[in-house]
Amino acid sequence: MQRRTSRRHHGRTSHRIGERFWMGQPILVGHHSEGRARRDQERMHNAMRKSIAEGERAGYWANRAQAAEAYERYRKNPGRTLRRIEKLEAERRGVLRERDGVDDKGRTADVWRREPSEARHQELTRRLAEYDEELTYWAETIKEAERRGFKVWGRADFVNGDFVQWRGSWYEVTRVNAKTVTVPHIHAAFDGGAVGGCRVVTRAATAETRHKGSTYTLPYNEVSGRMSAEQMRAALAGEPIPADPRDITPQPTPTPGSLPPSPPA
């Protein structure tokens, strides 16, 4: 509040001093008023510079506070961080295509692309370095989340017939894609029961609804859980849920050099 008041004060001071020049009155060189006019002009310029500086400073700190708050939200929400990483990677590829004509996945720029000027090339290179720095930071954040138990889901984690948890519901997986899983339409009127208060949407249960045949795709970075078909059948029947072999970490096979010595006879 004090900063805002100071900025307004400097702005009003500059405006008040400038009123004497509002008709474009020039400084009369040699006139007895020259000294005062030049002092007023300098005071007006100083007040305006201070007003601008105060405004820039206030905006800088406001932006820093917003950035810090946003970074904290991403750090505490790995799913959101994964979505941010995907967005940054797409933006980086766009910059790379503009600079080089092709990105790191071999995708070429459109036919209307022009070779960037030297200044533009340098600017694009600087932006790529910024993207790389931010992507490195968020990748480390995800690694830390994984060390704390967060699961990063991907194509290798699912097969058709699995069930995926998304926003409080379970959906049967009908197709596994590179970045998404295909499930029955999320607005299906019927479901296959409920598990732990979460409705279960199966392909069979939605076959006779108005969404018959309609599907929806869920990105892996929004997935929050998985059940196998066997586990889901047990859960719906109220039976103990068996372990999924995919969730069991295999114990490493000891090498001969790592075996403990045999006890003495």
mmCIF file of all heavy atoms in Angstrom, residues 89 92-94 96-97 102-107 132:
data_model
loop_
_atom_site.group_PDB
_atom_site.id
_atom_site.type_symbol
_atom_site.label_atom_id
_atom_site.label_comp_id
_atom_site.label_asym_id
_atom_site.label_seq_id
_atom_site.Cartn_x
_atom_site.Cartn_y
_atom_site.Cartn_z
ATOM 1 N N GLU A 89 7.371 -28.909 -23.512
ATOM 2 C CA GLU A 89 8.033 -29.662 -24.579
ATOM 3 C C GLU A 89 7.433 -29.321 -25.941
ATOM 4 O O GLU A 89 8.173 -29.187 -26.928
ATOM 5 C CB GLU A 89 7.903 -31.155 -24.303
ATOM 6 C CG GLU A 89 8.772 -31.641 -23.148
ATOM 7 C CD GLU A 89 8.533 -33.100 -22.810
ATOM 8 O OE1 GLU A 89 7.447 -33.606 -23.168
ATOM 9 O OE2 GLU A 89 9.414 -33.714 -22.184
ATOM 10 N N ARG A 92 8.663 -25.879 -26.873
ATOM 11 C CA ARG A 92 10.077 -25.940 -27.251
ATOM 12 C C ARG A 92 10.232 -26.472 -28.679
ATOM 13 O O ARG A 92 11.059 -25.963 -29.443
ATOM 14 C CB ARG A 92 10.844 -26.837 -26.278
ATOM 15 C CG ARG A 92 12.343 -26.887 -26.545
ATOM 16 C CD ARG A 92 13.034 -27.923 -25.677
ATOM 17 N NE ARG A 92 14.463 -27.892 -25.886
ATOM 18 C CZ ARG A 92 15.084 -28.479 -26.903
ATOM 19 N NH1 ARG A 92 14.366 -29.141 -27.807
ATOM 20 N NH2 ARG A 92 16.399 -28.409 -27.019
ATOM 21 N N ARG A 93 9.448 -27.486 -29.033
ATOM 22 C CA ARG A 93 9.521 -28.016 -30.397
ATOM 23 C C ARG A 93 9.133 -26.959 -31.422
ATOM 24 O O ARG A 93 9.698 -26.893 -32.514
ATOM 25 C CB ARG A 93 8.637 -29.255 -30.528
ATOM 26 C CG ARG A 93 9.198 -30.485 -29.831
ATOM 27 C CD ARG A 93 8.466 -31.750 -30.250
ATOM 28 N NE ARG A 93 7.086 -31.753 -29.777
ATOM 29 C CZ ARG A 93 6.710 -32.249 -28.607
ATOM 30 N NH1 ARG A 93 7.607 -32.769 -27.781
ATOM 31 N NH2 ARG A 93 5.444 -32.236 -28.237
ATOM 32 N N GLY A 94 8.143 -26.115 -31.066
ATOM 33 C CA GLY A 94 7.746 -25.041 -31.973
ATOM 34 C C GLY A 94 8.872 -24.044 -32.195
ATOM 35 O O GLY A 94 9.105 -23.591 -33.327
ATOM 36 N N LEU A 96 12.061 -24.694 -31.848
ATOM 37 C CA LEU A 96 13.114 -25.388 -32.584
ATOM 38 C C LEU A 96 12.791 -25.450 -34.075
ATOM 39 O O LEU A 96 13.672 -25.277 -34.925
ATOM 40 C CB LEU A 96 13.269 -26.797 -32.023
ATOM 41 C CG LEU A 96 14.572 -27.547 -32.323
ATOM 42 C CD1 LEU A 96 15.765 -26.768 -31.801
ATOM 43 C CD2 LEU A 96 14.534 -28.932 -31.705
ATOM 44 N N ARG A 97 11.519 -25.683 -34.406
ATOM 45 C CA ARG A 97 11.134 -25.713 -35.827
ATOM 46 C C ARG A 97 11.316 -24.350 -36.475
ATOM 47 O O ARG A 97 11.729 -24.257 -37.633
ATOM 48 C CB ARG A 97 9.685 -26.171 -35.977
ATOM 49 C CG ARG A 97 9.482 -27.664 -35.819
ATOM 50 C CD ARG A 97 8.121 -28.100 -36.336
ATOM 51 N NE ARG A 97 7.032 -27.495 -35.573
ATOM 52 C CZ ARG A 97 6.520 -28.008 -34.464
ATOM 53 N NH1 ARG A 97 7.020 -29.130 -33.954
ATOM 54 N NH2 ARG A 97 5.519 -27.424 -33.841
ATOM 55 N N VAL A 102 13.228 -27.909 -38.370
ATOM 56 C CA VAL A 102 12.850 -29.254 -37.949
ATOM 57 C C VAL A 102 13.067 -29.353 -36.443
ATOM 58 O O VAL A 102 13.975 -28.732 -35.898
ATOM 59 C CB VAL A 102 13.678 -30.318 -38.700
ATOM 60 C CG1 VAL A 102 15.167 -30.175 -38.388
ATOM 61 C CG2 VAL A 102 13.196 -31.720 -38.378
ATOM 62 N N ASP A 103 12.203 -30.135 -35.751
ATOM 63 C CA ASP A 103 12.363 -30.254 -34.305
ATOM 64 C C ASP A 103 13.064 -31.556 -33.951
ATOM 65 O O ASP A 103 13.514 -32.305 -34.831
ATOM 66 C CB ASP A 103 11.014 -30.142 -33.595
ATOM 67 C CG ASP A 103 10.054 -31.275 -33.932
ATOM 68 O OD1 ASP A 103 10.508 -32.319 -34.422
ATOM 69 O OD2 ASP A 103 8.841 -31.114 -33.718
ATOM 70 N N ASP A 104 13.169 -31.843 -32.648
ATOM 71 C CA ASP A 104 13.916 -33.008 -32.197
ATOM 72 C C ASP A 104 13.192 -34.318 -32.477
ATOM 73 O O ASP A 104 13.737 -35.393 -32.233
ATOM 74 C CB ASP A 104 14.229 -32.900 -30.698
ATOM 75 C CG ASP A 104 12.979 -32.618 -29.871
ATOM 76 O OD1 ASP A 104 11.883 -32.526 -30.461
ATOM 77 O OD2 ASP A 104 13.098 -32.485 -28.645
ATOM 78 N N LYS A 105 11.951 -34.247 -32.980
ATOM 79 C CA LYS A 105 11.219 -35.451 -33.361
ATOM 80 C C LYS A 105 11.118 -35.600 -34.873
ATOM 81 O O LYS A 105 10.364 -36.431 -35.373
ATOM 82 C CB LYS A 105 9.817 -35.434 -32.740
ATOM 83 C CG LYS A 105 9.829 -35.636 -31.224
ATOM 84 C CD LYS A 105 8.452 -35.923 -30.691
ATOM 85 C CE LYS A 105 8.496 -36.283 -29.221
ATOM 86 N NZ LYS A 105 7.157 -36.652 -28.695
ATOM 87 N N GLY A 106 11.848 -34.752 -35.596
ATOM 88 C CA GLY A 106 11.844 -34.843 -37.043
ATOM 89 C C GLY A 106 10.680 -34.153 -37.714
ATOM 90 O O GLY A 106 10.491 -34.289 -38.929
ATOM 91 N N ARG A 107 9.887 -33.417 -36.955
ATOM 92 C CA ARG A 107 8.741 -32.722 -37.543
ATOM 93 C C ARG A 107 9.223 -31.414 -38.172
ATOM 94 O O ARG A 107 9.868 -30.606 -37.522
ATOM 95 C CB ARG A 107 7.694 -32.432 -36.467
ATOM 96 C CG ARG A 107 7.133 -33.696 -35.826
ATOM 97 C CD ARG A 107 6.258 -33.362 -34.647
ATOM 98 N NE ARG A 107 5.758 -34.566 -33.983
ATOM 99 C CZ ARG A 107 5.137 -34.572 -32.815
ATOM 100 N NH1 ARG A 107 4.945 -33.440 -32.171
ATOM 101 N NH2 ARG A 107 4.725 -35.708 -32.284
ATOM 102 N N ASP A 132 15.060 -25.462 -21.817
ATOM 103 C CA ASP A 132 15.858 -26.585 -21.325
ATOM 104 C C ASP A 132 16.076 -26.485 -19.817
ATOM 105 O O ASP A 132 16.001 -27.486 -19.100
ATOM 106 C CB ASP A 132 17.205 -26.624 -22.052
ATOM 107 C CG ASP A 132 17.073 -27.046 -23.510
ATOM 108 O OD1 ASP A 132 16.041 -27.651 -23.851
ATOM 109 O OD2 ASP A 132 17.987 -26.753 -24.297
#
